[in-house]
């Protein structure tokens, strides 16, 4: 028989009983707490209801309290809604909004002469008190007569505009205050949406809180777009009338004030009758607002403003586009606390070489373009240090603003071979006199052939490059590796992506004209790296230095050893004097370079250099259509020779690195006859050397600094000049 369990039971049973009792106690506590809480809440609510019954209002007072309560409720909802609408508007002011402005750049050539502008025309240096009174009145009478009376939003003016527009059945009068217009100009776009109008209203209130009325008016006069690329009244006055806003008369002020509404429609250089009609409306506004009498505006009505003639000579537009892109990159790297957005930029442009390049390309296409089936060309001329002296991006900027010198990717053909030969020489396994075999070669199913479909057999490297043999270039690439060629080309300044293919050594990868000019500039610089640049120095309109290439630009480093330059440059000189580039020879100057022609004659190149300049030129068609058997040694070399022969007039001819002082070859026959030293019958004027130009610009900068210094008055103890009697103190 089983024995009975001892008293108290086993330990596991006792533990379960205790746990059950604890859980029952917790459950009981929760139930009682919920019940007691409910009773307490009900009792509290009954007490609150009984308390509020004491304030029960009967009769008319009840309605007043109800209305006030509803008003507070909807007011709270409205406040939350306004805050929700205001937050997106105030986000527009998160960065340094007062310093926002587009770039305004005036470009000078290397001699300090103005050559053009880019960006906006903007000048905010005229203080408000120096604007003529009639100009201020004309603006306020037309844009916001109650400007000094409202808080940023002119409510009566808005209702008046709504009624006028309703009567007319269209928009005939604007309801935005001057502050609202400024808010739109500073922070918003011109889109006509309800969201933009709401943001505009909030931002107007924000401006009124942060700025004085005069500060708002000054910003409006400086930031509003006035047509013709001009922002601000003073820039517009300079552009349309050739004078500062300080000096405009009433008729000119009325025409300027009329531009705020629709500058594209009323700009005087676009539609002078419309501009004068709008100015007449501004004069009416002056009289209607009580700012002037009819007698005071009578003279302006009888003698309307006449803008200056804006017809300009040809400008180096492609060069200016290139320079402006560089300025934008420089400005992006300036410290964030730098607020200036207007600059005077001196470039490396030589206007004489630029004109020679424009003329030579235009004449070549006009004379030979149809025969060769070529419709476009591009050229870059630079110094061996990378300073771009001239740039042609196409035959006509008016027809196409696409810059073929910097943006068009074209196959360079055999003009790419110098990178192949240089990479081979740098391995130490090859020399210019190394014998290689020019014979058939196949890589897979690809079997390149020479231009004449024949082979030279055993031949030296220098002769192979002179004759531009394709098979030798392919064999060199196979021997050293194509990756080595790509790395060298990039190190020499070729920015375009170079895809490694079997045809890479024959120029199958696409590059730009600027790439080729930069790469060959390394040969001309003695193997130093080159950074192509148009910008030499940047200053503020007040003359303060901002950036200079000499101080802030990249410093050159050795890319190709001098001993390799001493090998490759004579090889490239042999191409010109003994090979495919003979039409590029210049009297009295040693020229090195390489021609290039691509499959189906789609692209024709000549890239060459001397001790003074590097030039790259391309001919072809935008649609990649084939030319009529144009080679790099024909029209490209001829045109290159015209430009560079002109560029080398009147200057000291520098020796080419690696060539020493070898005498220039004597030109004969057709080569000599194809060497005109004049462009449009005008011989190139004597030019300054780079060092002389730098000294001249430094002197100009010191004169500007001296002019800005306060005049020191002579003291009684100063010794008078024996000649003029003027005191000489402070003359150091």
């Amino acid at each position: 028989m089983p024995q009975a369990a001892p008293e108290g039971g086993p330990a596991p049973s006792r533990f379960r009983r205790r746990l059950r009792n604890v859980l029952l106690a917790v459950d009981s506590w929760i139930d009682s707490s919920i019940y007691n809480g409910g009773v307490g809440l009900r009792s509290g609510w009954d007490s609150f209801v009984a308390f509020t019954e004491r304030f029960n209002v009967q009769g008319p007072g009840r309605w007043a309290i109800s209305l006030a309560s509803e008003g507070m409720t909807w007011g709270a909802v409205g406040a939350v809604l306004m805050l929700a609408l205001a937050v997106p508007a105030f986000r527009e002011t998160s960065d340094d909004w007062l310093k926002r402005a587009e770039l305004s750049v005036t470009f000078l050539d290397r001699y300090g002469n103005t050559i053009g502008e880019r960006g906006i025309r903007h000048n905010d240096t005229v203080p408000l008190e120096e604007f003529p009174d009639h100009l201020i009145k004309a603006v306020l009478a037309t844009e916001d007569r109650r400007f000094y009376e409202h808080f940023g939003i002119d409510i009566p003016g808005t209702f008046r505009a709504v009624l006028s527009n309703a009567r007319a059945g269209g928009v005939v009068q604007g309801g935005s205050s001057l502050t609202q217009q400024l808010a739109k100009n500073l922070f918003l776009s011109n889109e006509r949406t309800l969201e933009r109008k709401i943001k505009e209203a909030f931002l107007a209130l924000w401006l009124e809180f942060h700025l004085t009325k005069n500060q708002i008016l000054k910003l409006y006069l400086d930031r509003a777009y006035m047509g013709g690329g001009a922002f601000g009244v003073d820039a517009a006055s300079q552009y349309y009338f050739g004078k500062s806003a300080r000096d405009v008369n009433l008729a000119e002020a009325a025409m300027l004030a009329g531009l705020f509404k629709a500058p594209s429609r009323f700009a005087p250089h676009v539609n002078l009758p419309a501009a004068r009609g709008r100015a007449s409306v501004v004069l009416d506004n002056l009289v209607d607002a009580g700012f002037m009498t009819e007698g005071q505006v009578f003279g302006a009505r009888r003698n309307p403003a006449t803008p200056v003639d804006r017809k300009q000579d040809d400008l180096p537009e492609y060069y200016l586009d290139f320079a402006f892109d560089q300025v934008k990159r420089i400005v992006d790297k300036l410290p964030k606390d730098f607020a200036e957005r207007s600059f005077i930029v001196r470039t490396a442009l030589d206007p004489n070489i630029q004109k020679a390049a424009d003329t030579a390309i235009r004449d070549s296409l006009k004379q030979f373009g149809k025969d060769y089936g070529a419709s476009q060309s591009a050229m870059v001329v630079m110094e061996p240090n990378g300073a771009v002296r001239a740039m042609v991006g196409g035959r006509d900027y008016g027809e196409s603003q696409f810059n073929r010198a910097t943006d068009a990717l074209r196959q360079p053909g055999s003009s790419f071979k110098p990178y192949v030969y240089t990479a081979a020489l740098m391995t130490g396994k090859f020399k210019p006199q190394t014998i290689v075999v020019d014979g058939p070669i196949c890589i897979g199913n690809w079997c390149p052939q020479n231009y004449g479909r024949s082979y030279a057999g055993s031949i030296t490297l220098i002769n192979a490059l002179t004759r531009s043999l394709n098979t030798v270039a392919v064999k060199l690439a196979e021997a050293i590796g194509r990756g080595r060629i790509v790395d060298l080309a990039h190190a020499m300044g070729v920015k375009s992506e170079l895809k490694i293919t079997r045809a890479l050594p024959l120029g199958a990868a696409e590059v730009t004209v600027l790439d080729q000019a930069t790469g060959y500039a390394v040969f001309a610089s003695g193997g130093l790296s080159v950074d192509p640049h148009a910008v030499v120095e940047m200053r503020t309109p007040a003359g303060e230095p901002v950036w200079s290439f000499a101080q802030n630009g990249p410093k050159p480093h050795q890319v190709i050893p001098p001993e390799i330059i001493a090998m490759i440059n004579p090889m490239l000189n042999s191409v010109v004097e003994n090979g495919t580039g003979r039409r590029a020879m210049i009297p009295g100057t040693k020229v090195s370079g390489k021609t290039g022609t691509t499959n189906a004659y789609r692209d024709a190149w000549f890239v060459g250099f001397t001790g003074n300049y590097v030039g790259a030129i391309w001919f072809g068609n935008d649609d990649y259509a084939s030319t009529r058997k144009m080679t790099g040694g024909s029209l490209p070399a001829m045109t290159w020779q015209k430009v560079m022969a002109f560029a080398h007039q009147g200057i000291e001819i520098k020796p080419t690195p690696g060539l020493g002082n070898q005498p220039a070859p004597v030109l004969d026959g057709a080569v000599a006859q194809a060497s005109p030293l004049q462009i449009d019958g005008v011989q190139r004027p004597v030019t300054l050397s780079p060092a002389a130009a730098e000294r001249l610009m430094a002197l100009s900068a010191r004169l500007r600094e001296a002019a800005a210094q306060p005049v020191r008055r002579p003291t009684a103890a100063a010794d008078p000049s024996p000649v003029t009697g003027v005191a000489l103190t402070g003359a150091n």
Side-chain angles (χ1 to χ4, degrees):
M1 294 180 62
Q3 297 181 355
E7 186 177 354
S13 299
R14 291 198 301 272
F15 174 78
R16 284 196 294 271
R17 284 198 300 272
R18 290 176 181 176
L19 178 62
R20 185 171 60 251
N21 293 336
V22 170
L23 294 176
L24 287 172
V26 171
D27 181 67
S28 177
W29 178 82
I30 292 174
D31 291 343
S32 61
S33 296
I34 293 174
Y35 175 78
N36 293 332
V39 172
L41 287 174
R42 187 162 53 251
S43 176
W45 176 254
D46 291 339
S47 300
F48 175 75
V49 171
F51 177 77
T52 57
E53 286 294 333
R54 303 175 185 178
F55 302 98
N56 188 25
V57 178
Q58 300 294 331
R62 180 174 182 176
W63 293 103
I65 293 175
S66 297
L67 289 174
S69 177
E70 291 296 326
M72 293 177 64
T73 302
W74 286 108
V77 173
V80 173
L81 179 61
M82 289 184 64
L83 180 61
L85 294 173
V87 168
F90 293 155
R91 284 176 183 161
E92 303 290 339
T93 66
S94 58
D95 59 359
D96 199 348
W97 60 273
L98 198 56
K99 296 178 181 178
R100 284 184 184 178
E102 297 295 328
L103 281 177
S104 171
V105 184
T106 299
F107 288 102
L108 314 177
D109 63 19
R110 66 189 299 265
Y111 306 113
N113 303 309
T114 301
I115 56 174
E117 297 175 330
R118 281 295 184 271
I120 66 171
R121 297 178 179 88
H122 180 229
N123 183 17
D124 58 1
T125 60
V126 180
L128 182 64
E129 57 270 16
E130 294 185 15
F131 283 108
D133 182 66
H134 51 258
L135 175 58
I136 300 294
K137 288 179 176 178
V139 173
L140 293 179
T142 304
E143 298 301 318
D144 192 351
R145 299 178 188 180
R146 301 182 64 255
F147 171 69
Y148 284 98
E149 301 172 17
H150 60 67
F151 55 88
I153 301 175
D154 185 8
I155 295 178
T158 302
F159 279 113
R160 185 170 56 249
V162 171
L163 291 175
S164 298
N165 294 336
R167 292 193 192 100
V171 180
V172 295
Q173 184 175 341
S176 297
S177 67
L178 187 147
T179 312
Q180 288 176 273
Q181 295 179 54
L182 176 62
K184 181 188 69 175
N185 293 338
L186 289 177
F187 305 113
L188 306 173
S189 66
N190 290 322
E191 60 178 350
R192 293 188 175 185
T193 63
L194 179 60
E195 180 185 5
R196 198 267 289 170
K197 294 298 292 184
I198 292 174
K199 286 184 178 181
E200 182 183 288
F202 280 111
L203 290 170
L205 298 175
W206 190 89
L207 286 172
E208 292 277 349
F209 179 79
H210 286 83
L211 302 176
T212 66
K213 285 288 187 179
N214 283 348
Q215 288 175 325
I216 292 173
L217 179 59
K218 176 68 165 60
L219 276 173
Y220 183 74
L221 294 175
D222 289 341
R223 299 293 179 90
Y225 181 60
M226 308 286 283
F231 283 73
V233 172
D234 190 70
S237 178
Q238 295 282 2
Y239 182 69
Y240 294 124
F241 305 118
K243 64 175 72 174
S244 170
R246 299 178 178 92
D247 305 319
V248 295
N249 57 36
L250 179 57
E252 293 164 341
M255 188 171 286
L256 290 173
L259 292 172
F260 289 96
K261 181 178 181 180
S264 60
R265 193 194 324 165
F266 298 122
H269 72 299
V270 175
N271 192 337
L272 183 57
R276 286 177 170 171
R278 177 64 178 166
S280 180
V281 173
V282 173
L283 296 176
D284 292 339
N285 293 336
L286 280 168
V287 176
D288 293 341
F291 293 163
M292 287 187 175
T293 65
E294 185 61 44
Q296 290 175 306
V297 303
F298 180 75
R301 293 189 191 278
R302 291 290 303 270
N303 300 286
T306 300
V308 299
D309 186 3
R310 277 292 151 197
K311 294 180 180 178
Q312 301 180 358
D313 295 333
D314 291 338
L315 298 177
E317 302 287 5
Y318 290 112
Y319 190 100
L320 293 175
D321 288 346
F322 171 64
F324 188 52
D325 286 340
Q326 288 198 335
V327 170
K328 289 189 286 188
R329 289 196 294 271
I330 292 170
V331 171
D332 287 342
K333 295 179 181 179
L334 294 177
K336 292 184 178 180
D337 59 350
F338 189 84
E340 185 62 59
R341 302 294 288 175
S342 181
F343 301 99
I344 307 296
V345 174
R346 183 165 67 91
T347 69
L349 178 82
D350 187 317
N352 299 313
I353 299 179
Q354 179 67 48
K355 183 178 180 181
D358 285 328
T359 303
I361 285 178
R362 184 171 57 249
D363 290 350
S364 292
L365 287 172
K366 183 178 180 180
Q367 186 174 0
F368 301 108
K370 187 174 292 185
D371 294 337
Y372 278 111
S375 60
Q376 281 293 352
S377 179
M379 186 175 191
V380 172
V381 179
M382 66 171 62
E383 295 182 41
N385 64 4
V388 178
R389 290 291 196 93
M391 177 177 289
V392 181
R395 69 185 301 168
D396 190 339
Y397 186 86
E399 293 180 359
S400 170
Q401 290 77 53
F402 178 68
N403 193 335
R404 295 158 187 82
T406 60
D407 300 327
L409 291 170
R410 308 296 297 226
Q411 290 182 339
S414 293
S415 68
F416 189 82
K417 289 177 182 176
Y419 305 119
V420 179
Y421 279 76
T422 304
L425 294 173
M426 290 178 66
T427 64
K429 300 178 181 179
F430 298 91
K431 303 292 181 184
Q433 300 302 326
T434 298
I435 301 296
V436 292
V437 177
D438 174 32
I441 180 175
C442 289
I443 303 175
N445 59 354
W446 181 65
C447 301
Q449 294 181 328
N450 293 323
Y451 178 74
R453 297 183 180 273
S454 60
Y455 302 101
S458 297
I459 190 173
T460 62
L461 280 186
I462 186 171
N463 287 332
L465 182 59
T466 300
R467 297 174 60 176
S468 194
L469 299 177
N470 290 335
T471 59
V472 174
V474 173
K475 289 182 177 181
L476 288 177
E478 285 291 294
I480 65 175
R482 292 172 178 79
R484 188 190 298 269
I485 300 169
V486 170
D487 291 342
L488 176 63
H490 284 157
M492 293 175 66
V494 176
K495 302 296 184 184
S496 303
E497 179 186 2
L498 301 175
K499 296 181 179 180
I500 298 179
T501 63
R502 295 175 297 184
L504 172 74
L506 303 184
E510 295 178 327
V511 297
T512 66
V513 177
L514 183 63
D515 282 336
Q516 288 294 78
T518 305
Y520 277 60
V522 176
F523 298 133
S525 68
L528 295 175
S529 63
V530 172
D531 185 70
H533 61 280
V535 178
V536 175
E537 68 173 8
M538 293 172 53
R539 292 180 177 270
T540 66
E544 295 294 326
V546 174
W547 186 93
S548 72
F549 185 83
Q551 295 181 358
N552 308 107
K555 301 300 183 284
H557 59 275
Q558 201 75 36
V559 176
I560 303 175
E563 60 271 19
I564 303 300
I565 291 294
M567 298 180 192
I568 188 65
N569 282 1
M571 296 171 69
L572 293 172
N573 173 249
S574 177
V575 173
V576 175
E577 295 184 6
N578 306 305
T580 58
R582 284 183 55 79
R583 290 182 176 177
M585 297 171 68
I586 300 175
T589 305
K590 297 286 285 185
V591 176
S592 302
K594 186 69 184 75
T595 57
T597 309
T598 63
N599 286 340
Y601 300 96
R602 289 188 177 92
D603 305 281
W605 297 73
F606 183 80
V607 190
F609 59 93
T610 67
N612 297 83
Y613 296 115
V614 183
I617 190 168
W618 162 87
F619 279 85
N621 296 294
D622 285 340
D623 60 0
Y624 293 91
S626 298
T627 65
R628 295 189 181 95
K629 296 187 177 181
M630 178 191 293
T631 64
S634 59
L635 193 57
M638 292 165 53
T639 309
W640 187 95
Q641 193 274 344
K642 284 185 179 181
V643 177
M644 300 298 271
F646 178 86
H648 284 77
Q649 292 185 64
I651 64 173
E652 177 187 357
I653 304 301
K654 299 178 182 179
T656 302
L659 297 184
N661 294 315
Q662 299 178 20
V666 177
L667 277 64
D668 57 1
V671 176
Q673 294 178 359
S675 302
L677 300 182
Q678 297 180 354
I679 296 294
D680 289 342
V682 179
Q683 192 168 6
R684 185 184 182 194
V686 178
T687 60
L688 296 175
S689 67
E694 290 294 332
R695 287 194 290 269
L696 180 62
M697 295 306 298
L699 177 61
S700 176
R702 296 191 65 179
L703 289 174
R704 287 195 300 269
E705 293 172 1
Q709 296 296 324
V711 178
R712 299 183 60 179
R713 299 296 181 186
T715 63
D719 292 331
S721 166
V723 178
T724 63
V726 178
L728 298 178
T729 55
N732 292 339

